[in-house]
Amino acid sequence: MPFVTKTFHLDTSKKAFLFIMEVLGCSQKQAQKHLDKNRLKQNHLPIHKSQSIIGDVSLTYFKPTSLNLEPIFITPYFVIYDKPPNLLVHPKGYFEHFSLCDEIKARFGKEANPIHRLDYETSGLIMASIDKKFEAELKGLFENKKIYKTYSAITEGKISSPQIINLPICVPNKITKYQDLGIKCKISSNGKPALTKIFPLNYNEEKNMTLLKVIPITGRTHQIRIHLAEIGHKIVGEPLYGVSEQKAREYLNNKFSTSSPSLMLHAQSLDFKYKNISYHIKSHKYLDFPNIKK
């Protein structure tokens, strides 16, 4: 499971950070992070940095478990996974839900980390660094818009021509996101600039659905999803945008306990240059109308 809590007994006194370093085989900096997050406890009370410990203590830590997901592309610096829908990229709190981090760290070690994010509901390509020393450089490619990303989406209704959706987005802050429906972003003139290009590829008249190529120019949270819903063409399987508040609330309350329909949004390709090598990586999966039940 992603996070486990294990009880230990110490017969002699030891500094808390030294104990964590020995048990987890981590650096002092990482041990201090565990203490900052109150993961070491005695009698249900958190142990602080300067404390020494003796007797019974409990330590909560991330223990990756392989999901048997194979990366589709491997280099000495990074790997690319084709994430299935309804899978977290990072562990969410201490809940016992698997994430892509489980697979990445189980296979490549504790210094391997995802470089960017995809929504839980979104499938497709995601990059992970194999070692911490490559992480900042790779993240810089995304932050500096050096990576060209394309998505595929299937939306409700007919979209006949290419469009640029230019609607600013307000992203929830650390306080509001824990309120009722607070996880949802909003279109607002007070939001940050957000641009999405969409190109219709195919229209299925029987199902009244359009297959799109989507290029996000900016990278706001839920950007593609809220933009398409706002122009009246929500993505098939969308549980948050373009639906009633009641339906959105029901989805969030049961997100991890029920089998939800897949969101028809897929990260299709990544194009970039790294260490003087050009990469053009495409997903092995494609969205198609016959797989969709309306």
Side-chain angles (χ1 to χ4, degrees):
M1 284 295 179
F3 279 94
V4 296
T5 300
K6 191 173 179 180
T7 300
F8 299 85
H9 180 80
L10 290 83
D11 291 320
T12 56
S13 179
K14 183 172 290 187
K15 286 288 186 181
F17 75 89
L18 287 174
F19 167 75
I20 295 175
M21 287 174 67
E22 290 175 9
V23 170
L24 300 183
C26 64
S27 67
Q28 183 174 343
K29 183 179 180 180
Q30 290 169 328
Q32 297 288 13
K33 187 180 289 187
H34 281 283
L35 290 167
D36 290 340
K37 293 186 176 182
N38 298 328
R39 291 177 179 169
L40 182 64
K41 295 183 178 181
Q42 189 166 47
N43 297 324
H44 305 292
L45 298 174
I47 303 294
H48 301 295
K49 294 180 182 180
S50 58
Q51 284 184 254
S52 294
I53 52 175
I54 189 171
D56 292 331
V57 295
S58 64
L59 178 62
T60 300
Y61 58 97
F62 185 77
K63 184 179 181 180
T65 303
S66 175
L67 306 176
N68 297 317
L69 294 175
E70 291 292 328
I72 65 167
F73 193 81
I74 301 178
T75 75
Y77 319 107
F78 65 85
V79 296
I80 304 290
Y81 279 90
D82 218 340
K83 184 183 92 69
N86 301 331
L87 176 68
L88 294 165
V89 172
H90 298 85
K92 186 177 177 66
Y94 297 143
F95 299 115
E96 296 181 346
H97 303 301
F98 288 108
S99 69
L100 192 60
C101 265
D102 275 274
E103 184 60 50
I104 292 167
K105 292 180 180 292
R107 183 178 178 112
F108 296 103
K110 62 186 178 183
E111 296 297 314
N113 283 302
I115 293 300
H116 57 120
R117 294 175 180 268
L118 283 180
D119 294 341
Y120 167 80
E121 298 87 356
T122 305
S123 59
L125 300 185
I126 192 155
M127 179 192 292
S129 63
I130 284 181
D131 194 279
K132 194 79 174 174
K133 61 188 176 185
F134 306 122
E135 190 174 321
E137 235 179 15
L138 291 167
K139 283 185 176 180
L141 295 178
F142 284 89
E143 292 165 0
N144 297 314
K145 304 186 187 306
K146 300 293 186 183
I147 292 188
Y148 179 79
K149 299 179 285 185
T150 69
Y151 288 73
S152 295
I154 295 179
T155 64
E156 296 180 353
K158 185 176 183 179
I159 299 176
S160 302
S161 57
Q163 298 181 40
I164 297 177
I165 306 170
N166 183 2
L167 295 169
I169 295 174
C170 270
V171 176
N173 60 39
K174 291 182 178 180
I175 297 174
T176 59
K177 73 178 183 179
Y178 293 109
Q179 298 172 358
D180 179 47
L181 298 179
I183 194 173
K184 292 181 65 176
C185 298
K186 296 178 181 178
I187 300 296
S188 168
S189 58
N190 297 321
K192 294 182 178 180
L195 265 69
T196 305
K197 292 182 178 181
I198 60 173
F199 303 87
L201 301 177
N202 195 4
Y203 173 66
N204 186 299
E205 188 171 357
E206 179 186 354
K207 296 178 182 291
N208 190 28
M209 296 176 182
T210 303
L211 172 64
L212 299 175
K213 175 182 177 180
V214 183
I215 302 173
I217 305 303
T218 50
R220 309 300 174 207
T221 301
H222 295 178
Q223 176 176 314
I224 297 172
R225 298 167 62 180
I226 191 172
H227 269 179
L228 288 169
E230 192 68 16
I231 66 168
H233 296 280
K234 76 180 181 74
I235 299 172
V236 174
E238 174 59 67
L240 293 179
Y241 300 101
V243 300
S244 68
E245 288 191 354
Q246 181 181 347
K247 285 188 176 180
R249 192 175 290 112
E250 286 173 358
Y251 169 74
L252 291 173
N253 289 339
N254 299 286
K255 183 174 178 177
F256 300 112
S257 59
T258 60
S259 179
S260 303
S262 293
L263 178 72
M264 291 292 106
L265 178 63
H266 188 75
Q268 201 70 56
S269 69
L270 295 172
D271 287 67
F272 58 96
K273 191 173 184 178
Y274 183 62
K275 294 191 179 294
N276 297 316
I277 298 175
S278 294
Y279 295 93
H280 309 282
I281 303 169
K282 293 184 178 181
S283 171
H284 294 172
K285 301 170 185 175
Y286 297 90
L287 299 182
D288 203 0
F289 295 116
N291 298 323
I292 298 172
K293 296 178 181 178
K294 188 177 178 183

